[in-house]
Amino acid sequence: MTDSLEKRIDQAVAELKATEEAVARTERELRDASIGAVSSDRAVRVTVGAQGELSDLEFLDGKYRAMAPQELAASVLEATQEARTRMGRHVMRA
């Protein structure tokens, strides 16, 4: 093997190792990631994980007590969709 070919192989191996380390770092970050959102009526706050799964749901200021079931469901869905959208953006940036 020529000296030039050996250098190119060494460089390629170093780049591969750096890429693998970056991927592992990103995977660790995303594994623990969560993002929250509050509905526009400020009735609920939700948190989703990296896969978009709902991990927390909080009813704010007792507003849910005066809401019709459909209104409450709409608030939960709105906040969940917003949190999932934000998480999707975060994942794409990562």
Side-chain angles (χ1 to χ4, degrees):
M1 240 180 348
T2 67
D3 191 40
S4 175
L5 182 56
E6 287 178 17
K7 285 181 183 179
R8 289 188 357 221
I9 290 172
D10 289 343
Q11 181 180 2
V13 168
E15 289 174 5
L16 177 60
K17 183 177 179 182
T19 300
E20 289 173 339
E21 289 171 357
V23 167
R25 200 171 35 252
T26 301
E27 285 176 343
R28 282 191 304 274
E29 174 192 329
L30 291 177
R31 183 177 28 246
D32 299 328
S34 65
I35 290 184
V38 176
S39 62
S40 61
D41 60 9
R42 322 261 322 132
V44 297
R45 176 184 303 126
V46 301
T47 304
V48 299
Q51 299 294 317
E53 74 280 8
L54 188 64
S55 60
D56 192 36
L57 171 62
E58 181 180 357
F59 298 104
L60 305 174
D61 300 328
K63 291 181 180 182
Y64 70 93
R65 291 185 176 125
M67 299 173 80
Q70 299 89 339
E71 289 176 299
L72 181 57
S75 292
V76 171
L77 291 174
E78 174 197 354
T80 302
Q81 184 58 43
E82 175 63 26
R84 285 178 174 160
T85 298
R86 289 181 187 173
M87 180 55 77
R89 289 182 192 133
H90 177 69
V91 167
M92 293 304 293
R93 282 191 306 269

